[in-house]
Amino acid sequence: MFDALKDRFEKIFGTLRGKGRLSEEDVNLALREVRRALLEADVHYKVVKDLTDRIRERATGQDVLASITPAQQVLTIVFEELVAVMGSEPKPLTISPKPPTVYLMAGLQGSGKTTSTVKIASRLKGSHKPLVVACDLQRPAAVEQLRVLAEKAGVAFYGPQAGQTDPVQVARGSLKYAEDHLADLILLDTAGRLQIDEALMEELVRIKEAVPPQEVLLVVDAMTGQEAVTVAESFHAKLGLTGVVLTKLDGDARGGAALAIGAATGAPVKLAGMGEKIEDLEVFDARRMGQRILG
Ligand code: GDP
């Protein structure tokens, strides 16, 4: 595990054997490698700085100084700090004590929002009766896409009624529909844009006010790398995120975005999208992510 980084550490610390302690310079050299590894994995530079500061503090402490395996020791510190930023315990989706539970799904277009909405509904259909709701009225194809996916997954669907053009009306209508059809979990799929814009944010805020959600979940494409921080910060400022779904982790992205989002918003990554199929959704595992980031 972490072979590349470990090799680099061994090179730095190898000459130390017998010396019995690390100098500040040794630690700085090691931290330069850590910084490089994190930036290569798309971790945001601000997060990298905070992390390396903390690692430096611990790495110059007693334990490491006395250690006969400093490379391993520093590596362990790096790993523990990475996991701590992402939250070491899995963070399950919460259910409202008073049904229906509403999840507001937000994110940029193409992030995997619609797919993740149906994935979550499908995952919870054993314990709940979910209803997915098409509140993306910007793209005509979006409503149909959700309807088709919902049908495939065997979950109930609600979309705009004749003449409805305001997603807030649709969201409100879904409450009544859910009540009539005994659905206790409502997932609102909302419009995304290619970039964050005011109109999108205002629309989301209005939906949130009309139908107060239990969870506001931001769907983020792991491939977006450093930009994910800016996206997450803007959504968080307007909506107060309760969690993140990090998608496309089946791809090549190292997933540094996971670290950056946690650090920037405090909203935990709750779920990981691992493919295009409806069942390709996993509970986010910070330790596995840490291993992936360190390579
Ligand atoms: P939206 O515009 O945010 O609603 O995005 P969609 O749900 O339409 O997804 C955009 C594309 O990403 C689609 O082709 C999805 O199949 C794909 N996609 C979504 N989640 C994942 C994932 O976890 N892994 C992979 N490989 N593809 C995904």
Side-chain angles (χ1 to χ4, degrees), residues 16-179:
L16 292 173
R17 233 156 250 147
K19 272 209 281 179
R21 54 167 307 179
L22 300 181
S23 71
E24 206 176 312
E25 195 190 334
D26 302 323
V27 173
N28 282 338
L29 277 175
L31 284 174
R32 206 163 70 200
E33 297 300 333
V34 172
R35 201 172 298 127
R36 194 192 301 171
L38 294 178
L39 289 170
E40 277 168 13
D42 271 342
V43 180
H44 193 263
Y45 69 91
K46 276 195 225 155
V47 180
V48 172
K49 168 136 195 353
D50 284 355
L51 262 171
T52 41
D53 285 351
R54 276 207 301 283
I55 295 164
R56 172 179 289 109
E57 207 168 287
R58 284 183 62 189
T60 43
Q62 286 300 316
D63 291 357
V64 180
L65 295 187
S67 166
I68 50 159
T69 52
Q72 187 55 49
Q73 200 94 352
V74 176
L75 206 53
T76 305
I77 294 175
V78 173
F79 181 66
E80 285 174 3
E81 290 294 330
L82 281 188
V83 172
V85 173
M86 292 182 280
S88 40
E89 296 299 316
K91 302 278 187 312
L93 294 173
T94 58
I95 297 296
S96 165
K98 190 170 159 284
T101 295
V102 177
Y103 295 162
L104 178 65
M105 309 293 295
L108 297 183
Q109 192 176 311
S111 59
K113 189 164 23 64
T114 302
T115 314
S116 300
T117 302
V118 177
K119 282 179 177 178
I120 295 173
S122 173
R123 191 185 181 87
L124 294 176
K125 78 178 173 186
S127 49
H128 292 83
K129 186 148 184 249
L131 174 69
V132 298
V133 181
C135 291
D136 178 359
L137 309 188
Q138 298 290 327
R139 285 187 312 129
V143 176
E144 188 56 15
Q145 185 196 352
L146 183 66
R147 196 188 60 73
V148 169
L149 274 179
E151 192 177 297
K152 219 161 109 185
V155 298
F157 164 87
Y158 180 81
Q161 306 300 293
Q164 279 185 344
T165 53
D166 184 356
V168 175
Q169 280 178 307
V170 182
R172 279 213 187 91
S174 74
L175 282 179
K176 171 88 174 68
Y177 186 89
E179 197 182 335

Side-chain angles (χ1 to χ4, degrees), residues 222-238:
M223 315 275 256
T224 44
Q226 305 229 359
E227 209 196 294
V229 177
T230 327
V231 171
E233 279 174 339
S234 339
F235 276 92
H236 189 53
K238 282 280 183 186

